[in-house]
Amino acid sequence: MGSRVVVVGGGLAGLATAHHLLWARPDLELTLLDGGDRPGGKVRRAEVGGVLVDVGAESVVASSAAARALFADLGLADRVVHPEPVPAAIWSRGARHAVPGRSFLGVPGPETDLAGLLDEGEVARAARPAPFVLDADDVSVAASVGAVYGRAVVDRVVEPLLGGVYAGRVDRLSLRATMPVLWAAMSEGLAMPEAVASLLPPADAPPRPRVMGLVGGIGTLADALARSVTDAGGRIDSGALVRRVRRTSTGWQVVAGATKAPVVHDADAVVLAVPAAPTARLLTDHAPAAAAALAGIEYASMAVMTFALPRAGAPDLPGSGFLVPAVDGRTIKASTFAASKWAWVGEASEDALLLRASAGRAGDVAALQRDDDELTAIALTEIGAAVGAPLPEPVDVHVQRWGGGLPQYDLGHTERVAAVRAAVAALPGLEVAGAAYDGVGIGAVLAGAAATATTVLDALPPSSTTRQESA
């Protein structure tokens, strides 16, 4: 019998960690305990208008080596696709404007053109960047970018772009945690505009897609990972809420199931791949410093609404969609014209035109307190206002609510994560993984899962069945 490993959490972090463990060590006795109704976490597909589409995350950063390696492992490499070459916009002050080029997550560089999106006075202020020195361990995105370029750049350029990633508040989001490469460049003495310029490709370089997806949806990745785990002999238990983790003389015990009918799993190694709050609860007795640090990580809720419109009555939907600045007070924060952005979605139905909208920002609970009918009605009205024509009655609607879906990388996040890692390092045979630590995007989560699996494997007794991970 091989070493016993229990992975707690069936999102992408847990699934990918389990896959990497079994890929390298087929002899492992691995059990994945997932408190949800099916593995995949915040990655999910649903049928809308007869088309199976993503109703959670829909893409991964194109530069992710971890994602590409995993696609290769799972036989998905030939399904990788990039968005169609149609631009996104920012719907600001009642008009759509091109997303400024030559910027880094909206932070302008020396060549960024902000005309149109900002008024003349705001453009003039941004054209005179003020000096800003990193003289603290952390600073908010709003404080730093606002000091250099003015508040309008924060509200109408940076916030819409970061809002799509974190659903967070720029006045609280950490520059160091959300833009670590920009922080690093500025820490070396570069002014913010020059730091941005150092991170951008040459102006004459051919454009490269920033994200990638999979034909059939990024949800197929979760399905493939679950199959990989079970095909390799791993066990996935859904609906298995983990209540306690305790030390033993030889390793760990993971207690799951109902209070009156607990199921105990013995393990040589345990990976906690669940959000910060349940991880803190499980670590309270073993690493109180880690539990306290994790308790400081807040989460934002959001809703993803997917609509199938009749093609015959739908107005022209320009570009791939648009982002919405929070300062404008709209309910939706973004809309994606899925049938235009992804060729496979557009080709999947001759009659239905698929698009989606998202709502929910950290600290804004009012939007998500509306019921599904009211929320979707507002979303359709706002999308119609953005494109300049009312939308027809949908033939199908799907609302996916993600309660506490996105960890907030607020001020001090880097230090909190460092405290968690230091405390967990003192617990042999236990590791943590997931979006709360090194990035909320799928690429970052997959890279973290691969690293976690390597750490676990290095600590386990060797086996003759070990094989090398794909490059």
Side-chain angles (χ1 to χ4, degrees):
M1 180 183 297
S3 298
R4 300 161 299 178
V5 179
V6 173
V7 176
V8 181
L12 283 189
L15 288 170
T17 300
H19 161 81
H20 287 299
L21 288 169
L22 289 169
W23 184 266
R25 287 279 302 273
D27 67 306
L28 291 179
E29 184 181 330
L30 186 143
T31 301
L32 187 151
L33 302 174
D34 181 21
D37 58 349
R38 87 293 175 264
K42 305 302 183 294
V43 173
R44 177 177 292 198
R45 295 187 298 161
E47 187 173 303
V48 187
V51 183
L52 197 58
V53 292
D54 291 313
V55 294
E58 64 167 0
S59 63
V60 56
V61 62
S63 60
S64 173
R68 290 191 179 276
L70 198 54
F71 293 157
D73 286 351
L74 299 170
L76 299 174
D78 61 347
R79 300 179 68 86
V80 173
V81 290
H82 298 100
E84 295 299 289
V86 289
I90 296 178
W91 183 36
S92 177
R93 293 171 173 146
R96 295 191 314 276
H97 305 274
V99 175
R102 307 297 294 164
S103 66
F104 179 77
L105 284 175
V107 181
E111 303 171 4
T112 305
D113 182 6
L114 300 172
L117 180 56
L118 304 186
D119 66 28
E120 290 184 4
E122 294 163 346
V123 171
R125 167 63 183 89
R128 299 188 302 272
F132 183 84
V133 178
L134 295 179
D135 57 1
D137 291 336
D138 205 353
V139 64
S140 74
V141 170
S144 55
V145 177
V148 176
Y149 297 105
R151 183 72 198 198
V153 170
V154 174
D155 289 340
R156 300 199 175 273
V157 188
V158 177
E159 188 281 331
L161 290 163
L162 274 187
V165 179
Y166 293 95
R169 292 165 284 185
V170 286
D171 289 285
R172 295 185 57 175
L173 287 175
S174 158
L175 181 72
R176 184 177 182 180
T178 61
M179 305 183 193
V181 292
L182 179 60
W183 174 275
M186 293 178 65
S187 296
E188 293 175 358
L190 292 178
M192 188 175 285
E194 285 67 45
V196 169
S198 73
L199 301 174
L200 300 176
D204 58 354
R208 294 183 178 181
R210 296 183 179 182
V211 298
M212 57 185 171
L214 294 170
V215 173
I218 207 73
T220 59
L221 172 60
D223 298 339
L225 282 169
R227 285 195 303 272
S228 170
V229 170
T230 55
D231 288 350
R235 175 179 170 181
I236 297 177
D237 289 350
S238 293
L241 181 65
V242 173
R243 302 187 178 278
R244 187 179 177 189
V245 174
R246 58 193 181 207
R247 297 287 297 270
T248 69
S249 59
T250 58
W252 296 88
Q253 284 186 334
V254 179
V255 183
T259 304
K260 295 182 179 180
V263 179
V264 178
H265 302 267
D266 293 306
D268 300 296
V270 174
V271 177
L272 302 180
V274 287
T279 302
R281 175 175 55 82
L282 296 172
L283 289 179
T284 297
D285 294 337
H286 311 291
L294 287 163
I297 300 176
E298 297 183 8
Y299 278 68
S301 299
M302 61 182 299
V304 175
M305 297 158 277
T306 307
F307 304 95
L309 304 180
R311 283 185 181 269
D316 179 47
L317 300 178
S320 62
F322 58 87
L323 305 168
V324 186
V327 70
D328 277 353
R330 307 285 185 178
T331 295
I332 65 172
K333 64 178 183 178
S335 180
T336 301
F337 306 150
S340 301
K341 182 176 180 179
W342 303 105
W344 71 268
V345 176
E347 296 165 358
S349 174
E350 296 181 357
D351 302 318
L353 189 68
L354 272 76
L355 67 153
R356 61 188 232 164
S358 59
R361 293 180 172 94
D364 177 17
V365 298
L368 300 184
Q369 286 177 339
R370 299 180 172 95
D371 63 27
D372 288 358
D373 289 344
E374 183 181 4
L375 188 61
T376 55
I378 292 172
L380 286 169
T381 298
E382 292 187 346
I383 297 170
V387 303
L391 301 185
E393 186 71 20
V395 297
D396 198 7
V397 178
H398 181 276
V399 179
Q400 181 67 54
R401 293 179 183 262
W402 297 114
L406 285 172
Q408 296 300 288
Y409 282 28
D410 287 346
L411 282 170
H413 185 80
T414 304
E415 289 76 12
R416 278 190 287 274
V417 171
V420 173
R421 298 238 186 255
V424 170
L427 299 173
L430 190 141
E431 298 293 332
V432 295
Y437 305 102
D438 303 310
V440 300
I442 289 176
V445 169
L446 296 181
T452 299
T454 298
T455 302
V456 172
L457 292 169
D458 288 346
L460 291 175
S463 167
S464 60
T465 61
T466 301
R467 60 176 169 178
Q468 296 297 315
E469 285 278 3
S470 60

